[in-house]
Amino acid sequence: MKHLCIAFAFLLGTISCRDNNGSDDILSEDTMVNILVEIHMTEGFVQSLSIPYDSSKVLYPILERRIFEKYGIPDSVYVKSLEFYLRDAAKMEYLYERAIDSLSVKEKEAQQNQQP
């Protein structure tokens, strides 16, 4: 009986200390970066429109929902993943560095496409 209690306590401790990175509810770093890029591009797009603020507050959630649909995730998975990565400031900084790099590349490509 004593061994069973010790084994149960060990199992419970192992499960509770498990890294969430393998969880189905946490997006991979690559997917998280891609979604962050698309969210920031969408925010910029909505802000650039000549529409009233109230209209942009209606439009943005619709566009954001399309991003989540594109990746096949509910918004709750994005929020949970964001909270997970925010617990590690260095990890979140790394993800944002990658997102900024991707946005910079997209900006350069757009500028090159505008030149005759």
Side-chain angles (χ1 to χ4, degrees), residues 27 29-43 60 67-68 71 78 82 85 91-100 102-103:
L27 298 171
E29 290 180 13
D30 290 341
T31 302
M32 192 67 184
V33 168
N34 291 337
I35 292 174
L36 288 170
V37 167
E38 290 198 37
I39 283 177
H40 285 290
M41 288 179 62
T42 300
E43 287 173 346
Y60 178 75
I67 294 169
F68 299 140
Y71 287 90
Y78 169 75
L82 186 61
Y85 287 118
K91 176 71 71 177
M92 197 65 206
E93 182 178 355
Y94 170 71
L95 294 179
Y96 261 100
E97 286 173 359
R98 289 180 55 194
I100 290 168
S102 294
L103 288 166

Side-chain angles (χ1 to χ4, degrees), residues 14-109:
T14 303
I15 292 170
S16 66
C17 293
R18 193 185 76 170
D19 184 13
N20 280 342
N21 221 1
S23 174
D24 291 339
D25 293 342
I26 303 299
L27 298 171
S28 71
E29 290 180 13
D30 290 341
T31 302
M32 192 67 184
V33 168
N34 291 337
I35 292 174
L36 288 170
V37 167
E38 290 198 37
I39 283 177
H40 285 290
M41 288 179 62
T42 300
E43 287 173 346
F45 170 72
V46 170
Q47 288 176 358
S48 71
L49 297 175
S50 298
I51 59 175
Y53 177 71
D54 291 348
S55 298
S56 67
K57 283 181 64 172
V58 172
L59 177 61
Y60 178 75
I62 294 168
L63 298 176
E64 184 182 54
R65 192 169 36 250
R66 286 186 183 170
I67 294 169
F68 299 140
E69 287 171 0
K70 174 181 175 182
Y71 287 90
I73 62 164
D75 61 345
S76 60
V77 170
Y78 169 75
V79 170
K80 187 173 182 179
S81 298
L82 186 61
E83 290 171 350
F84 172 77
Y85 287 118
L86 282 170
R87 284 187 225 134
D88 183 349
K91 176 71 71 177
M92 197 65 206
E93 182 178 355
Y94 170 71
L95 294 179
Y96 261 100
E97 286 173 359
R98 289 180 55 194
I100 290 168
D101 287 346
S102 294
L103 288 166
S104 296
V105 167
K106 288 181 181 294
E107 181 182 30
K108 287 178 185 175
E109 289 173 352

